[in-house]
Amino acid sequence: MSEVASRRPMFQPRVAFAAVFGTTIEWYDFALYGTAAALVFNKVYFPGSDPLVGTVLAYGTFAIGFLARPLGGAYFGEKGDTKGRKSVLVTTLLLMGLATTAIGLLPTYGQIGAAAPILLTLLRFVQGFAAGGEKTGALIILFENAPPKWRGLLTSLPAIGTGTGTLLSTGAFALVTGLLPEDALLAWGWRLPFLFSAALTFFGL
């Protein structure tokens, strides 16, 4: 064994936990938007359109997040090489949490007019940008810290966070839609899963 290899610290389980938990939070936030686009955003941010057109417009803003992901992966990938993986993961987690919480506080079309869907689209872009950077960073930090014989297994762990985050976001919306009447859901109830992101982000940090 080389001297460099002998000095290398053993893999720490908390690295894997941080990567998986961070990915869970990121994808809770990222997937939450899709459910809201189908159930709420077409009514509160695109109310002047035909219901079908409003849904198409809402899903159009949903797609913006996927277009932003490779940009975030490229940008934060380079930052991770130069500034360190940990700082990038913290930055992307905070960026995602702020964007998601801001969506939960965003005024509707009826309150501020056309500025509402524009701001919604911008915040969705930020979500996608952060998600691209987080997923890339989580994979690389696990790969770099894993023992060679465990790299394949450990690098696959963020996929657990992707599925878990999506399930949590679906469950959060199922809870509010099941407990609240439609008028309350459209007035304020849909905001609760987005605002819950602030607590998750704080815990994650």
Side-chain angles (χ1 to χ4, degrees):
M1 181 180 294
S2 68
E3 183 180 355
V4 173
S6 65
R7 292 202 308 264
R8 180 174 180 171
M10 295 183 63
F11 179 77
Q12 297 180 351
R14 66 176 183 166
V15 174
F17 176 79
V20 173
F21 189 76
T23 305
T24 299
I25 296 173
E26 292 273 354
W27 280 89
Y28 169 86
D29 293 347
F30 191 79
L32 198 61
Y33 192 103
T35 307
L39 300 178
V40 177
F41 289 166
N42 59 327
K43 299 174 183 177
V44 299
Y45 288 108
F46 304 98
S49 307
D50 176 89
L52 177 60
V53 175
T55 301
V56 171
L57 291 173
Y59 271 116
T61 62
F62 176 66
I64 293 294
F66 288 93
L67 297 176
R69 281 180 63 194
L71 299 177
Y75 176 80
F76 286 112
E78 189 275 333
K79 291 297 180 184
D81 290 338
T82 57
K83 304 294 185 182
R85 309 295 176 201
K86 180 180 178 181
S87 63
V88 165
L89 288 176
V90 169
T91 299
T92 56
L93 182 63
L94 185 59
L95 196 60
M96 177 66 90
L98 289 174
T100 305
T101 303
I103 291 174
L105 298 172
L106 186 66
T108 64
Y109 184 92
Q111 295 171 315
I112 60 174
I118 293 174
L119 290 173
L120 181 68
T121 303
L122 177 61
L123 290 170
R124 178 57 179 174
F125 180 88
V126 174
Q127 278 192 321
F129 195 74
E134 192 282 334
K135 187 65 176 290
T136 303
L139 292 171
I140 294 175
I141 199 171
L142 283 173
F143 181 84
E144 290 179 340
N145 284 273
K149 67 177 181 179
W150 293 105
R151 278 179 180 162
L153 175 62
L154 292 173
T155 306
S156 70
L157 291 180
I160 298 174
T162 302
T164 304
T166 302
L167 286 173
L168 287 175
S169 68
T170 304
F173 245 99
L175 186 63
V176 295
T177 54
L179 294 177
L180 297 174
E182 185 177 8
D183 56 344
L185 176 68
L186 295 177
W188 55 268
W190 68 268
R191 299 180 183 275
L192 297 180
F194 286 89
L195 296 177
F196 182 60
S197 173
L200 288 177
T201 301
F202 178 79
F203 184 74
L205 290 173

